[in-house]
């Protein structure tokens, strides 16, 4: 069965600190996608990144970076020099690749609070 | 930028009443999803449509929930009768397809409170 675990329920940092959000996944599929979404207080889920299981290269986008390690089934997300606007709940998600459905399996989310 | 539209944004209803939510996906997106997000948890898929056909409704409580996408465009999710445990955020998402085209875009959600 597919499963996503975000062990960190809440993280609080002070502005400009770096913060890493952990994500561990379980799947029997050899091909799959991993995602990160941001959910601000308004409730809308904002897509941040998609990574397929063939591509283990780390990715950087501005202050955001992602570390995908297939050997440990982890897909961690780092925010560098955090800002108050980064405060939100962050979800890691998993979906199969080319399967019968395309549903996202979400973790329980990590609430990030960035204090000024 | 194209967005997924949902209405209403907030709904308060009494137990045993009927309630309906509407979703209009991004134009051209063939795949539409309804997710339910209980407070403090991640979203969970209720139903997935490909055009007007249901692809997956295995987690939809069919005794009280129904979903339709008659013309393969917008969709309605209905609950009848509503129960206290249905209080949650209902999120609609759409994608061009799946696999390489499976990037899902989410609407703002409908927050349902059942009293």
């Amino acid at each position: 069965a597919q499963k996503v675990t975000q062990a960190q329920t809440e993280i609080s940092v002070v502005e400009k600190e770096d913060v890493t959000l952990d994500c561990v996944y379980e799947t029997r599929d050899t091909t799959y996608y991993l995602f990160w979404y941001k959910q601000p207080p308004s409730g809308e889920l904002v897509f941040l990144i998609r990574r397929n299981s063939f591509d283990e290269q780390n990715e950087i986008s501005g202050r955001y970076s992602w570390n995908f390690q297939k050997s440990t089934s982890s897909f961690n997300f780092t925010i560098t020099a955090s800002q108050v606007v980064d405060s939100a709940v962050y979800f890691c998600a998993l979906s199969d690749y080319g399967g019968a459905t395309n549903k996202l399996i979400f973790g329980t989310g990590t609430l990030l609070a960035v204090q000024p | 930028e194209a967005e997924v539209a949902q209405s209403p944004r907030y709904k308060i209803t009494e137990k045993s009443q009927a309630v309906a939510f509407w979703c209009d996906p991004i134009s051209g997106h063939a795949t539409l999803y309804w997710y339910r997000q209980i407070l403090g948890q991640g979203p969970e898929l209720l139903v997935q449509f490909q055009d007007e056909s249901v692809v997956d409704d295995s987690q939809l409580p069919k005794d009280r929930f129904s979903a339709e996408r008659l013309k393969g465009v917008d969709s309605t999710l209905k609950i009848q009768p509503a129960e206290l445990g249905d209080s949650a955020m209902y999120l609609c998402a759409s994608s061009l397809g799946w696999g390489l085209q499976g990037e899902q875009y989410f609407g703002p959600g409908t927050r349902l409170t059942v009293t």
Side-chain angles (χ1 to χ4, degrees):
Chain A
Q2 296 179 316
K3 183 180 179 182
V4 175
T5 300
Q6 295 180 255
Q8 304 153 308
T9 305
E10 292 185 35
I11 300 176
S12 182
V13 299
V14 177
E15 206 168 20
K16 298 184 183 177
E17 284 185 24
D18 298 347
V19 58
T20 295
L21 309 182
D22 297 334
C23 172
V24 174
Y25 63 92
E26 297 175 29
T27 180
R28 292 181 181 174
D29 296 332
T30 56
T31 54
Y32 48 89
Y33 285 106
L34 295 164
F35 302 78
W36 276 94
Y37 282 86
K38 174 182 180 180
Q39 188 174 44
S42 59
E44 183 172 351
L45 279 167
V46 178
F47 169 82
L48 295 178
I49 190 172
R50 177 179 65 184
R51 171 69 72 218
N52 71 57
S53 53
F54 299 123
D55 184 1
E56 289 193 66
Q57 284 190 351
N58 293 330
E59 182 159 338
I60 298 175
S61 177
R63 297 184 297 108
Y64 295 170
S65 62
W66 291 270
N67 182 282
F68 175 30
Q69 292 196 339
K70 219 169 175 178
S71 61
T72 56
S73 298
S74 66
F75 186 44
N76 296 336
F77 173 31
T78 297
I79 302 175
T80 303
S82 60
Q83 299 176 2
V84 173
V85 293
D86 296 327
S87 297
V89 180
Y90 290 86
F91 289 96
C92 181
L94 168 72
S95 78
D96 62 5
Y97 181 102
T101 71
N102 192 42
K103 70 179 180 183
L104 292 170
I105 306 295
F106 285 88
T108 51
T110 297
L111 173 61
L112 174 64
V114 182
Q115 310 296 333
Chain B
E1 184 176 312
E3 297 178 341
V4 176
Q6 287 188 249
S7 66
R9 292 292 308 276
Y10 303 91
K11 180 70 178 179
I12 300 174
T13 191
E14 293 182 348
K15 190 175 66 168
S16 80
Q17 294 299 304
V19 63
F21 314 131
W22 177 79
C23 172
D24 191 13
I26 294 172
S27 178
H29 280 197
T31 312
L32 184 147
Y33 315 78
W34 283 102
Y35 288 84
R36 177 171 62 182
Q37 184 180 16
I38 295 170
L39 189 64
Q41 299 182 20
E44 184 179 40
L45 182 74
L46 291 176
V47 61
Q48 176 182 340
F49 289 93
Q50 177 66 24
D51 298 310
E52 65 276 6
S53 300
V54 172
V55 174
D56 182 357
D57 63 357
S58 57
Q59 300 303 310
L60 188 71
K62 298 181 188 62
D63 56 335
R64 298 184 300 108
F65 286 64
S66 64
E68 60 183 16
R69 194 184 184 200
L70 293 175
K71 296 182 180 179
V73 181
D74 59 339
S75 175
T76 302
L77 178 70
K78 297 179 181 177
I79 308 175
Q80 182 173 16
E83 296 181 352
L84 294 177
D86 297 331
S87 294
M89 174 79 90
Y90 290 83
L91 292 160
C92 180
S94 70
S95 65
L96 277 172
W98 58 75
L100 291 174
Q101 296 180 315
E103 189 172 305
Q104 296 182 29
Y105 296 87
F106 284 81
T110 296
R111 192 176 297 277
L112 174 67
T113 302
V114 182
T115 62

